[in-house]
Amino acid sequence: MKCSAVTEVLQKQSPEEYACDWDNVGLLVGSREKEVRCIYVALDATDETIREAAEAGADLLLTHHPMIFKGLKKVSEQDFIGRRVIKLIRHDMAYYAMHTNFDVLGMADLAAERLGLVHRAVLQPSGKLAAAKIVGIGKVGDLPDKMSLEECVRTVKHVFSVDTVKVFVPSGPEEPLRVPVLRAAVCPGSGKSVIEDALKAKAQVLITGDIDHHEGIDAAARGMAVIDAGHYGLEKLFIPYMTEFLKEKLPELEVIGQQPKQPFLYL
């Protein structure tokens, strides 16, 4: 199958025009005419990922995060991004990224489904689909049942398979982890930019990643708890989802999903 045929399927799932202006998505390395028999799905195009994809005999590497964000002035082995581009070319491997277009059209829904959120709405609207359906970053809704913040933390750790989370608890209550929560917002990836949206939506807890000290304590001071389950912790959902999606849509191809591997250690 031509690479162009594969990218058409990816485009239907998450059209590139729904990506943020600053983003870089689509076919970033390789030819649309390349024959694809095997696809390797990962979150990041690291050196290890490219090596694994090459060892698996992949013709196309698909990741969520784009390896190339800024314009490249040169492609050489003196630069670590350049080295990765060269490795892809040496292995005759095309490379496609679907980042904020997938965030807008898939990632938050996957996370909301894991949490069982009901009465969902878009947290930070960014546009509309042809059917006038509002799309955007994140989701807000109600948890299946009212629960304590501590129970919510346990739920997040369980459904996203993370061992450790960082929790900013609202100031005031003597036992803040026992505060009941029902309305929740979720934003896989980096959620700093949606804190105000979550507060306006009257979320009692925001589940996201990459929350800095000041953003966290300020949100808690305004009465909203924040559960930081990590950027990788939530967005690794991309790998199993896209692996199964491609297996269903393109059954004639081999599709391999990278095994989850947290890119850092807690010591």
Side-chain angles (χ1 to χ4, degrees), residues 2 28 39-40 47-48 69 71 79-80 120 142 154 159 161 166 171 199 213 263:
K2 296 283 189 186
L28 303 186
I39 303 172
Y40 194 82
D47 293 310
E48 184 178 14
F69 259 117
D79 172 75
F80 79 103
R120 297 178 208 164
D142 293 337
R154 287 201 296 266
V159 302
S161 300
K166 179 167 61 176
S171 54
L199 287 164
H213 172 77

PDB file of all heavy atoms in Angstrom, residues 2 28 39-40 47-48 69 71 79-80 120 142 154 159 161 166 171 199 213 263:
ATOM      1  N   LYS A   2       0.509   2.220  -0.806  1.00  0.00           N
ATOM      2  CA  LYS A   2       1.265   3.473  -0.861  1.00  0.00           C
ATOM      3  C   LYS A   2       1.122   4.239   0.463  1.00  0.00           C
ATOM      4  O   LYS A   2       0.071   4.198   1.117  1.00  0.00           O
ATOM      5  CB  LYS A   2       0.749   4.356  -1.992  1.00  0.00           C
ATOM      6  CG  LYS A   2       0.938   3.765  -3.395  1.00  0.00           C
ATOM      7  CD  LYS A   2       2.354   3.897  -3.852  1.00  0.00           C
ATOM      8  CE  LYS A   2       2.467   3.502  -5.326  1.00  0.00           C
ATOM      9  NZ  LYS A   2       3.863   3.487  -5.783  1.00  0.00           N
ATOM     10  N   LEU A  28       6.280  14.134   7.788  1.00  0.00           N
ATOM     11  CA  LEU A  28       7.431  15.007   8.053  1.00  0.00           C
ATOM     12  C   LEU A  28       8.719  14.506   7.400  1.00  0.00           C
ATOM     13  O   LEU A  28       9.639  15.282   7.176  1.00  0.00           O
ATOM     14  CB  LEU A  28       7.644  15.152   9.569  1.00  0.00           C
ATOM     15  CG  LEU A  28       6.446  15.680  10.369  1.00  0.00           C
ATOM     16  CD1 LEU A  28       6.857  15.919  11.818  1.00  0.00           C
ATOM     17  CD2 LEU A  28       5.886  16.956   9.758  1.00  0.00           C
ATOM     18  N   ILE A  39       3.681  -0.653  10.021  1.00  0.00           N
ATOM     19  CA  ILE A  39       3.625   0.645  10.699  1.00  0.00           C
ATOM     20  C   ILE A  39       3.995   0.443  12.163  1.00  0.00           C
ATOM     21  O   ILE A  39       3.499  -0.492  12.815  1.00  0.00           O
ATOM     22  CB  ILE A  39       2.224   1.271  10.602  1.00  0.00           C
ATOM     23  CG1 ILE A  39       1.789   1.418   9.139  1.00  0.00           C
ATOM     24  CG2 ILE A  39       2.185   2.630  11.315  1.00  0.00           C
ATOM     25  CD1 ILE A  39       0.333   1.858   8.977  1.00  0.00           C
ATOM     26  N   TYR A  40       4.850   1.316  12.681  1.00  0.00           N
ATOM     27  CA  TYR A  40       5.237   1.281  14.100  1.00  0.00           C
ATOM     28  C   TYR A  40       4.654   2.527  14.767  1.00  0.00           C
ATOM     29  O   TYR A  40       4.870   3.649  14.302  1.00  0.00           O
ATOM     30  CB  TYR A  40       6.755   1.263  14.238  1.00  0.00           C
ATOM     31  CG  TYR A  40       7.255   0.892  15.618  1.00  0.00           C
ATOM     32  CD1 TYR A  40       7.354  -0.438  16.006  1.00  0.00           C
ATOM     33  CD2 TYR A  40       7.633   1.869  16.536  1.00  0.00           C
ATOM     34  CE1 TYR A  40       7.815  -0.787  17.267  1.00  0.00           C
ATOM     35  CE2 TYR A  40       8.099   1.525  17.798  1.00  0.00           C
ATOM     36  CZ  TYR A  40       8.186   0.195  18.158  1.00  0.00           C
ATOM     37  OH  TYR A  40       8.638  -0.157  19.411  1.00  0.00           O
ATOM     38  N   ASP A  47      15.538   8.295  19.619  1.00  0.00           N
ATOM     39  CA  ASP A  47      16.517   7.401  18.994  1.00  0.00           C
ATOM     40  C   ASP A  47      16.141   5.945  19.235  1.00  0.00           C
ATOM     41  O   ASP A  47      16.245   5.105  18.340  1.00  0.00           O
ATOM     42  CB  ASP A  47      17.921   7.674  19.558  1.00  0.00           C
ATOM     43  CG  ASP A  47      18.443   9.050  19.165  1.00  0.00           C
ATOM     44  OD1 ASP A  47      18.385   9.377  17.975  1.00  0.00           O
ATOM     45  OD2 ASP A  47      18.901   9.779  20.051  1.00  0.00           O
ATOM     46  N   GLU A  48      15.702   5.639  20.450  1.00  0.00           N
ATOM     47  CA  GLU A  48      15.311   4.272  20.792  1.00  0.00           C
ATOM     48  C   GLU A  48      14.105   3.835  19.966  1.00  0.00           C
ATOM     49  O   GLU A  48      14.047   2.696  19.478  1.00  0.00           O
ATOM     50  CB  GLU A  48      14.991   4.177  22.281  1.00  0.00           C
ATOM     51  CG  GLU A  48      14.661   2.768  22.741  1.00  0.00           C
ATOM     52  CD  GLU A  48      14.396   2.688  24.234  1.00  0.00           C
ATOM     53  OE1 GLU A  48      14.199   3.746  24.865  1.00  0.00           O
ATOM     54  OE2 GLU A  48      14.384   1.569  24.763  1.00  0.00           O
ATOM     55  N   PHE A  69       9.818  20.295  15.284  1.00  0.00           N
ATOM     56  CA  PHE A  69       8.920  21.370  15.677  1.00  0.00           C
ATOM     57  C   PHE A  69       9.271  22.666  14.956  1.00  0.00           C
ATOM     58  O   PHE A  69       8.416  23.360  14.430  1.00  0.00           O
ATOM     59  CB  PHE A  69       8.986  21.608  17.188  1.00  0.00           C
ATOM     60  CG  PHE A  69       7.837  21.007  17.941  1.00  0.00           C
ATOM     61  CD1 PHE A  69       8.061  20.022  18.877  1.00  0.00           C
ATOM     62  CD2 PHE A  69       6.537  21.420  17.721  1.00  0.00           C
ATOM     63  CE1 PHE A  69       7.008  19.454  19.584  1.00  0.00           C
ATOM     64  CE2 PHE A  69       5.474  20.864  18.414  1.00  0.00           C
ATOM     65  CZ  PHE A  69       5.719  19.882  19.353  1.00  0.00           C
ATOM     66  N   GLY A  71      11.820  24.997  12.218  1.00  0.00           N
ATOM     67  CA  GLY A  71      12.473  24.822  10.930  1.00  0.00           C
ATOM     68  C   GLY A  71      13.911  24.350  11.096  1.00  0.00           C
ATOM     69  O   GLY A  71      14.635  24.829  11.975  1.00  0.00           O
ATOM     70  N   ASP A  79      23.660  17.463  14.731  1.00  0.00           N
ATOM     71  CA  ASP A  79      22.454  17.870  15.446  1.00  0.00           C
ATOM     72  C   ASP A  79      21.612  16.632  15.738  1.00  0.00           C
ATOM     73  O   ASP A  79      21.454  15.772  14.869  1.00  0.00           O
ATOM     74  CB  ASP A  79      21.654  18.864  14.577  1.00  0.00           C
ATOM     75  CG  ASP A  79      20.309  19.179  15.171  1.00  0.00           C
ATOM     76  OD1 ASP A  79      20.260  19.932  16.154  1.00  0.00           O
ATOM     77  OD2 ASP A  79      19.292  18.659  14.648  1.00  0.00           O
ATOM     78  N   PHE A  80      21.064  16.514  16.948  1.00  0.00           N
ATOM     79  CA  PHE A  80      20.392  15.262  17.311  1.00  0.00           C
ATOM     80  C   PHE A  80      19.107  15.046  16.515  1.00  0.00           C
ATOM     81  O   PHE A  80      18.750  13.907  16.200  1.00  0.00           O
ATOM     82  CB  PHE A  80      20.133  15.188  18.818  1.00  0.00           C
ATOM     83  CG  PHE A  80      18.949  15.973  19.317  1.00  0.00           C
ATOM     84  CD1 PHE A  80      17.768  15.336  19.631  1.00  0.00           C
ATOM     85  CD2 PHE A  80      19.030  17.349  19.500  1.00  0.00           C
ATOM     86  CE1 PHE A  80      16.686  16.048  20.113  1.00  0.00           C
ATOM     87  CE2 PHE A  80      17.955  18.070  19.967  1.00  0.00           C
ATOM     88  CZ  PHE A  80      16.770  17.413  20.278  1.00  0.00           C
ATOM     89  N   ARG A 120     -20.514  15.275  28.946  1.00  0.00           N
ATOM     90  CA  ARG A 120     -19.240  15.884  28.539  1.00  0.00           C
ATOM     91  C   ARG A 120     -19.422  17.115  27.654  1.00  0.00           C
ATOM     92  O   ARG A 120     -20.357  17.192  26.871  1.00  0.00           O
ATOM     93  CB  ARG A 120     -18.395  14.875  27.751  1.00  0.00           C
ATOM     94  CG  ARG A 120     -17.972  13.666  28.504  1.00  0.00           C
ATOM     95  CD  ARG A 120     -17.189  12.745  27.584  1.00  0.00           C
ATOM     96  NE  ARG A 120     -17.315  11.361  27.991  1.00  0.00           N
ATOM     97  CZ  ARG A 120     -17.008  10.340  27.244  1.00  0.00           C
ATOM     98  NH1 ARG A 120     -16.567  10.542  26.010  1.00  0.00           N
ATOM     99  NH2 ARG A 120     -17.143   9.111  27.682  1.00  0.00           N
ATOM    100  N   ASP A 142     -19.066  15.140  34.359  1.00  0.00           N
ATOM    101  CA  ASP A 142     -19.255  14.614  35.710  1.00  0.00           C
ATOM    102  C   ASP A 142     -18.682  13.213  35.807  1.00  0.00           C
ATOM    103  O   ASP A 142     -18.845  12.394  34.890  1.00  0.00           O
ATOM    104  CB  ASP A 142     -20.744  14.565  36.066  1.00  0.00           C
ATOM    105  CG  ASP A 142     -21.358  15.954  36.195  1.00  0.00           C
ATOM    106  OD1 ASP A 142     -20.593  16.904  36.449  1.00  0.00           O
ATOM    107  OD2 ASP A 142     -22.583  16.073  36.037  1.00  0.00           O
ATOM    108  N   ARG A 154      -7.021   7.663  43.249  1.00  0.00           N
ATOM    109  CA  ARG A 154      -6.856   6.220  43.040  1.00  0.00           C
ATOM    110  C   ARG A 154      -7.428   5.794  41.684  1.00  0.00           C
ATOM    111  O   ARG A 154      -6.851   4.950  40.992  1.00  0.00           O
ATOM    112  CB  ARG A 154      -7.524   5.439  44.175  1.00  0.00           C
ATOM    113  CG  ARG A 154      -6.775   5.487  45.497  1.00  0.00           C
ATOM    114  CD  ARG A 154      -7.171   4.322  46.389  1.00  0.00           C
ATOM    115  NE  ARG A 154      -8.582   4.397  46.762  1.00  0.00           N
ATOM    116  CZ  ARG A 154      -9.025   4.967  47.889  1.00  0.00           C
ATOM    117  NH1 ARG A 154      -8.167   5.501  48.747  1.00  0.00           N
ATOM    118  NH2 ARG A 154     -10.310   4.982  48.163  1.00  0.00           N
ATOM    119  N   VAL A 159      -6.935   3.836  36.083  1.00  0.00           N
ATOM    120  CA  VAL A 159      -7.394   3.820  34.677  1.00  0.00           C
ATOM    121  C   VAL A 159      -6.300   4.241  33.701  1.00  0.00           C
ATOM    122  O   VAL A 159      -6.329   3.856  32.521  1.00  0.00           O
ATOM    123  CB  VAL A 159      -8.658   4.677  34.471  1.00  0.00           C
ATOM    124  CG1 VAL A 159      -9.788   4.196  35.359  1.00  0.00           C
ATOM    125  CG2 VAL A 159      -8.392   6.154  34.687  1.00  0.00           C
ATOM    126  N   SER A 161      -3.009   3.699  34.439  1.00  0.00           N
ATOM    127  CA  SER A 161      -1.854   2.838  34.734  1.00  0.00           C
ATOM    128  C   SER A 161      -0.605   3.652  35.070  1.00  0.00           C
ATOM    129  O   SER A 161       0.451   3.493  34.462  1.00  0.00           O
ATOM    130  CB  SER A 161      -1.574   1.900  33.551  1.00  0.00           C
ATOM    131  OG  SER A 161      -2.677   1.079  33.277  1.00  0.00           O
ATOM    132  N   LYS A 166       1.024  13.749  41.129  1.00  0.00           N
ATOM    133  CA  LYS A 166       1.219  14.917  41.992  1.00  0.00           C
ATOM    134  C   LYS A 166      -0.139  15.572  42.177  1.00  0.00           C
ATOM    135  O   LYS A 166      -0.862  15.777  41.201  1.00  0.00           O
ATOM    136  CB  LYS A 166       2.207  15.889  41.339  1.00  0.00           C
ATOM    137  CG  LYS A 166       2.470  17.150  42.143  1.00  0.00           C
ATOM    138  CD  LYS A 166       3.693  17.908  41.600  1.00  0.00           C
ATOM    139  CE  LYS A 166       3.533  18.352  40.182  1.00  0.00           C
ATOM    140  NZ  LYS A 166       4.675  19.163  39.704  1.00  0.00           N
ATOM    141  N   SER A 171      -6.901  24.647  49.485  1.00  0.00           N
ATOM    142  CA  SER A 171      -6.575  25.065  50.849  1.00  0.00           C
ATOM    143  C   SER A 171      -7.872  25.270  51.623  1.00  0.00           C
ATOM    144  O   SER A 171      -8.906  25.615  51.064  1.00  0.00           O
ATOM    145  CB  SER A 171      -5.764  26.364  50.823  1.00  0.00           C
ATOM    146  OG  SER A 171      -6.442  27.352  50.080  1.00  0.00           O
ATOM    147  N   LEU A 199     -11.663  26.240  35.604  1.00  0.00           N
ATOM    148  CA  LEU A 199     -12.290  27.003  36.681  1.00  0.00           C
ATOM    149  C   LEU A 199     -13.624  27.593  36.226  1.00  0.00           C
ATOM    150  O   LEU A 199     -14.623  27.557  36.961  1.00  0.00           O
ATOM    151  CB  LEU A 199     -11.347  28.108  37.154  1.00  0.00           C
ATOM    152  CG  LEU A 199     -10.142  27.648  37.990  1.00  0.00           C
ATOM    153  CD1 LEU A 199      -9.086  28.734  38.065  1.00  0.00           C
ATOM    154  CD2 LEU A 199     -10.593  27.242  39.394  1.00  0.00           C
ATOM    155  N   HIS A 213       4.683  24.557  39.824  1.00  0.00           N
ATOM    156  CA  HIS A 213       4.399  24.895  41.222  1.00  0.00           C
ATOM    157  C   HIS A 213       3.368  26.015  41.337  1.00  0.00           C
ATOM    158  O   HIS A 213       2.354  25.877  42.028  1.00  0.00           O
ATOM    159  CB  HIS A 213       5.707  25.305  41.909  1.00  0.00           C
ATOM    160  CG  HIS A 213       5.532  25.845  43.286  1.00  0.00           C
ATOM    161  ND1 HIS A 213       5.283  25.045  44.380  1.00  0.00           N
ATOM    162  CD2 HIS A 213       5.557  27.136  43.758  1.00  0.00           C
ATOM    163  CE1 HIS A 213       5.174  25.803  45.460  1.00  0.00           C
ATOM    164  NE2 HIS A 213       5.338  27.070  45.113  1.00  0.00           N
ATOM    165  N   PRO A 263       9.518   7.684  30.223  1.00  0.00           N
ATOM    166  CA  PRO A 263      10.837   8.181  29.809  1.00  0.00           C
ATOM    167  C   PRO A 263      11.673   8.801  30.924  1.00  0.00           C
ATOM    168  O   PRO A 263      12.658   9.472  30.672  1.00  0.00           O
ATOM    169  CB  PRO A 263      10.468   9.250  28.761  1.00  0.00           C
ATOM    170  CG  PRO A 263       9.136   9.747  29.191  1.00  0.00           C
ATOM    171  CD  PRO A 263       8.418   8.565  29.784  1.00  0.00           C
TER     172      PRO A 263
END
